[in-house]
Amino acid sequence: MATLQFLGGVGEVTGSRYLLEYESDQGAHAILLECGLRQGGPDAERINTESLTALAEKISAVVISHGHLDHAGLLPKLVHDGFGGPIHCAGDTLDLLEIMLADAAFVMAKDIEWKNKWRGKSGKPLLEPPYLAEDVEHTLAQCRPHPYGEPVDLPGGATLVFRDAGHILGSAIVEIVVNSGGRRRHLVFSGDLGNDDSALMNDPEKLPGADAVLMESTYGNRNHRPMDETVEEFAQVLQDAYDAGGNVLIPAFAVGRTQEVLYHLSQLYHAGRLPQQLIFLDSPMAIRVTELYVRKHRSLNKEDITALNKLAQGDPSRYLPGLRATRTVEESMAINRIRSGAIIIAGSGMCNGGRILHHLRYNLAKSATHVVIVGFQAAGTLGRQLVDGARSVKVLGEELPVKAKIHTIGGFSAHAGQAQLLSWAGAFRGRPTFYLVHGEPEAREALQIALAEAGIDAATPDYGERIVL
């Protein structure tokens, strides 16, 4: 018998984690699918520091769909707590993990250091980060990258294949076939499916068959605007901000979204439609990831990557004049002396940390400021508060009035919208059982209804629930 237990990423868009257990002639086996960091909400810190020792002892392998922290950010914690087996991922994911996990360890260590200063003064016990830089090194050494389409042997005669999910560099749809009840059971996990309108990524592969399908539902309740309309909306926001004499702040998702935004800024510039003369990429991680995209772009099949090609040729002025990559803290601080006419792309994407907080602190109370939200904002994050229309928010311990104009431009999303999810699900022959994960309750329920109308049955599992494949 093969079972799947939902240990995270149900009813929310962070902390993905699913436990696959099955038997073979060699005995019982357990594989962990995803090991994501919890982001946002009051319980995130507690959940991220909970012991994973029992899980580490139980599993023999880990399979990761892609390098975003909500899917892979707790891998070093799992390794720290005793897991020493292989971590399987698709091709370029390992390159991303080298950047993402090291940055996460650094940021968490700094955050804990700041908190411990206050806790020490008040006599409270000191906190420890979920993992350290040395845990990241051990984790990377255990990673096993594989090309799309290549069968990989797993314990107990199971097999694994990665397919292109079109979400970010190295993102994958996961296929696992295991023995169960005397027959082979075929499990497909969508990972995060990409937006077909992406300028830089391939469309997600569609698969013909499965027994069970684990499908994300991040945007299960809505569709994105077409890309041409999205770019027009973006261009108008930039012009309005310039005319008002304010800055534009774009919270940066370092992987995928930042590179798409830079691409479209370049396209607007070359069309003579970009009024701003200063564009700051103020995220060391996003800078490194952009450089990685440039090195890896030849593995993409889409032809429309002119902007990245120009950057790869070593001449940034041909790519996006005015672009400044600010790596140091001093360079970042200097940006806040600029009162108007700048576009500032800074991490983190959900405004729950990073340099964007300092730029919000200096600009959020100004009515001429325009904040452009280009990605999903999880419940409990500062970004979600802004999207939901908060009149005031706390930034770096200071309560600030929100006088800036907040814009949500969903068309730049790296996730599939509802219609694209339905199209992907409808490609399966037969009637596989669908389980909707990685989506907030209203999004999951809306997608469940839409799938039912298309003749596809889908369940919305609860945390801790176990199903039989």
Side-chain angles (χ1 to χ4, degrees):
M1 183 175 70
T3 65
L4 185 70
Q5 186 176 17
F6 302 89
L7 301 179
V10 286
E12 59 182 348
V13 296
T14 68
S16 289
R17 194 188 307 167
Y18 316 100
L19 180 64
L20 175 64
E21 297 180 83
Y22 56 97
E23 296 179 355
S24 73
D25 294 340
Q26 292 81 37
H29 309 277
I31 293 173
L32 188 64
L33 182 58
E34 312 281 71
C35 192
L37 191 73
R38 181 77 172 269
Q39 298 167 299
D43 295 329
E45 188 174 276
R46 175 185 58 79
I47 292 173
N48 290 335
T49 55
E50 287 179 346
S51 174
L52 297 178
T53 300
L55 187 61
E57 293 175 349
K58 186 172 191 175
I59 61 176
S60 56
V62 177
V63 176
I64 297 296
S65 69
H66 64 286
H68 273 150
L69 293 181
D70 54 340
H71 292 259
L74 274 188
L75 283 173
K77 170 66 173 170
L78 185 70
V79 170
H80 175 86
D81 287 354
F83 176 68
I87 299 169
H88 299 286
C89 60
D92 296 326
T93 293
L94 177 55
D95 296 298
L96 279 179
L97 288 177
E98 290 178 358
I99 299 171
M100 302 286 285
L101 296 180
D103 184 83
F106 176 80
V107 170
M108 287 188 292
K110 287 295 183 183
D111 183 50
I112 292 297
E113 180 182 350
W114 184 84
K115 290 179 179 179
N116 281 342
K117 287 182 180 179
W118 297 102
R119 295 179 70 89
K121 292 178 181 179
S122 61
K124 295 181 179 180
L126 300 183
L127 302 174
E128 293 185 2
Y131 51 83
L132 303 172
E134 61 189 44
D135 299 315
V136 172
E137 294 177 7
H138 295 151
T139 300
L140 297 174
Q142 292 171 218
C143 287
R144 303 289 182 267
H146 308 281
Y148 294 132
E150 177 185 275
V152 179
D153 291 332
L154 295 177
T159 58
L160 161 71
V161 178
F162 291 113
R163 308 288 183 184
D164 192 349
H167 174 57
I168 62 170
L169 194 67
S171 61
I173 299 162
V174 177
E175 290 187 87
I176 298 179
V177 178
V178 301
N179 292 310
S180 176
R183 59 162 288 190
R184 303 283 279 172
R185 301 287 179 176
H186 188 177
L187 171 68
V188 170
F189 172 46
S190 70
D192 283 353
L193 295 173
N195 186 343
D196 292 348
D197 276 344
S198 169
L200 304 178
M201 303 305 299
N202 300 318
D203 295 343
E205 286 191 52
K206 292 182 177 179
L207 280 66
D211 294 305
V213 180
L214 218 59
M215 187 168 80
E216 66 119 327
S217 55
T218 309
Y219 284 98
N221 57 345
R222 56 195 184 276
N223 289 310
H224 306 309
R225 296 182 70 178
M227 186 54 69
D228 57 348
E229 295 180 16
T230 295
V231 172
E232 286 302 312
E233 180 184 4
F234 187 41
Q236 188 60 57
V237 169
L238 297 178
Q239 187 64 57
D240 290 347
Y242 184 80
D243 293 342
N247 292 324
V248 177
L249 306 186
I250 305 178
F253 289 82
V255 183
R257 215 72 44 88
T258 290
Q259 292 73 41
E260 291 275 340
V261 169
L262 288 174
Y263 169 84
H264 289 291
L265 285 173
S266 172
Q267 297 299 92
L268 289 172
Y269 167 79
H270 290 287
R273 302 185 61 196
L274 183 63
Q276 285 81 2
Q277 298 299 306
L278 287 173
I279 301 98
F280 294 98
L281 181 52
D282 189 32
S283 166
M285 181 166 65
I287 294 168
R288 294 195 298 273
V289 171
T290 301
E291 293 169 343
L292 177 63
Y293 264 67
V294 169
R295 295 198 303 271
K296 296 288 186 176
H297 78 277
R298 291 180 180 84
S299 66
L300 304 177
N301 294 326
K302 282 196 173 181
E303 298 177 358
D304 193 13
I305 53 175
T306 306
L308 285 182
N309 274 325
K310 290 177 179 176
L311 181 59
Q313 292 167 7
D315 186 359
S317 65
R318 296 176 60 196
Y319 169 64
L320 183 56
L323 178 62
R324 304 289 183 270
T326 51
R327 299 175 189 269
T328 69
V329 173
E330 291 75 19
E331 290 173 319
S332 177
M333 293 172 64
I335 297 173
N336 290 317
R337 295 198 291 267
I338 301 173
R339 300 189 178 275
S340 66
I343 298 172
I344 305 166
I345 306 170
S348 65
M350 295 187 190
C351 307
N352 56 336
R355 294 180 179 181
I356 192 65
L357 295 179
H358 297 276
H359 300 303
L360 289 170
R361 183 183 182 188
Y362 278 90
N363 291 275
L364 202 54
K366 301 174 183 177
S367 59
T369 299
H370 290 244
V371 180
V372 180
I373 304 293
V374 294
F376 190 87
Q377 305 296 305
T381 62
L382 174 56
R384 183 61 167 267
Q385 294 178 53
L386 295 174
V387 168
D388 288 345
R391 298 291 185 88
S392 66
V393 293
K394 184 170 287 188
V395 180
L396 297 172
E398 180 181 356
E399 195 72 26
L400 295 175
V402 180
K403 296 183 179 179
K405 295 175 177 62
I406 312 298
H407 307 269
T408 301
I409 302 184
F412 287 138
S413 175
H415 285 268
Q418 187 192 72
Q420 295 167 337
L421 292 170
L422 292 173
S423 175
W424 187 80
F428 286 91
R429 293 195 295 266
R431 296 183 62 86
T433 304
F434 279 76
Y435 299 92
L436 303 184
V437 297
H438 204 72
E440 294 185 347
E442 58 272 20
R444 284 207 303 170
E445 291 166 9
L447 183 58
Q448 183 184 36
I449 293 170
L451 286 167
E453 292 173 349
I456 300 173
D457 295 328
T460 55
D462 295 323
Y463 176 82
E465 184 175 339
R466 191 188 301 269
I467 61 168
V468 177
L469 298 181

